[in-house]
Amino acid sequence: MKDGSAFLNDNAQRIAEGMIRDAERLRILVSRGSSGECLIDAGAKAEGGIEAGLRMAEAAMGGLGTVSLRLDRVLPKWPLAIEVRSSQPVLACLGAQYAGWNLSSENYFAMGSGPARALARVEPLYETLPYRDSASAAVLVLETAEPPPPTLVAKVAQATGLPQESLTFLFAPTQSLAGTVQIVARVLEVALHKANDLKFPLENIVEGIGASPLPAPHPDFLVAMGRTNDAIIYGGLVQLFVRGTAKDALALAEKLPSSASRDHGRPFAEIFTAFKGDFYAIDPLLFSPAEVIVTAFETGDTFRAGGRDLKMLEQSLG
């Protein structure tokens, strides 16, 4: 199935082409790799910036989300917030943005996100998504300071069924400003992913909007990673509009906040260290926004749960 309004890779390719045209203004570097792939450095050797991160995030969502910067006066110490909204949140967040493609080659490792995943369909998640993309070019976003090596480019080309010169890789490390923006812009995506883990019917989620404070980047990877995760876990706010009964909407609202996790209550960097750097040992239910609002629009009922934790944000974001 391919929704006529939802050509994930085609949309992302247009965003990437716009970034290339605006490379100087965005302070990004554009080049071609040894296999002909397009490389867009948004924060490794390039300085990058907030606008580059916003466009990275929209490309990661396959063009089905709007990502913007706004002022949030509720959190006076962190007045800048990243806001994400989508009228096709399942496709935008799970079909494209989720960093679910484990990519490794020799000493190189990165988690791939973006609409190229919808062509490769190598993840179990796609067993629950009926959408199938077809495109002559593909876009992949990598949270890393290094461009992919030729062996990994070849792996992506084989999985997507495209020539290597038709691939575009957008990359920026966590420690960069663009990297920080595109990670915090996953505030809506983590809510969708957790809803899926909770077995809420994805076809019943029809609209989503989220916001999270934008922390300052930090040169230390562990600190930077902790800040971006804590911005969502302790400062993220998401509203979902769902079909179905008020009872189902209430149940989702009660289980969706990060406070429902056993690992909630400590800075993420501390949790990560305690589990010896093993992401998979951390309770997956922790990766969700601090506060959620679920509206059952067929009945007119709205339910709220969780809450933003200023004390934890103070401890982590500085």
Side-chain angles (χ1 to χ4, degrees), residues 81-134:
I82 301 298
E83 181 177 282
V84 185
R85 60 187 186 275
S86 176
S87 292
Q88 296 196 47
V90 174
L91 275 182
C93 295
L94 299 185
Q97 189 184 20
Y98 174 58
W101 193 358
N102 186 329
L103 293 166
S104 60
S105 177
E106 299 170 351
N107 295 324
Y108 185 92
F109 172 80
M111 295 301 294
S113 63
R117 295 172 48 245
L119 287 175
R121 296 182 64 88
V122 296
E123 305 159 45
L125 176 61
Y126 286 96
E127 295 174 7
T128 64
L129 296 177
Y131 174 85
R132 292 186 179 274
D133 201 17
S134 61

Side-chain angles (χ1 to χ4, degrees), residues 118-283:
L119 287 175
R121 296 182 64 88
V122 296
E123 305 159 45
L125 176 61
Y126 286 96
E127 295 174 7
T128 64
L129 296 177
Y131 174 85
R132 292 186 179 274
D133 201 17
S134 61
S136 57
V139 176
L140 197 66
V141 175
L142 303 174
E143 184 185 334
T144 178
E146 298 293 334
T151 50
L152 192 141
V153 175
K155 178 179 180 179
V156 173
Q158 181 178 15
T160 58
L162 294 173
Q164 296 179 40
E165 60 268 22
S166 297
L167 302 176
T168 296
F169 294 88
L170 282 162
F171 65 98
T174 309
Q175 300 95 313
S176 68
L177 189 51
T180 299
V181 169
Q182 76 91 11
I183 296 168
V184 172
R186 297 173 185 275
V187 59
L188 179 60
E189 176 254 296
V190 296
L192 269 290
H193 192 263
K194 187 169 180 177
N196 186 47
D197 286 345
L198 294 171
K199 308 302 181 186
F200 187 85
L202 294 179
E203 64 272 16
N204 286 353
I205 303 175
V206 297
E207 191 87 24
I209 184 168
S212 181
L214 177 64
H218 195 282
D220 181 88
F221 170 73
L222 182 61
V223 176
M225 179 183 62
R227 287 182 175 184
T228 54
N229 278 279
D230 287 337
I232 295 173
I233 293 169
Y234 299 109
L237 169 65
V238 163
Q239 181 163 10
L240 299 179
F241 295 83
V242 303
R243 298 189 187 95
T245 66
K247 179 180 178 181
D248 289 342
L250 172 61
L252 179 63
E254 290 176 339
K255 296 175 183 177
L256 204 52
S258 58
S259 56
S261 165
R262 66 164 193 254
D263 291 330
H264 184 271
R266 291 185 291 168
F268 184 79
E270 183 179 317
I271 297 170
F272 186 75
T273 301
F275 283 101
K276 300 183 179 357
D278 183 359
F279 264 107
Y280 298 102
I282 301 171
D283 181 9

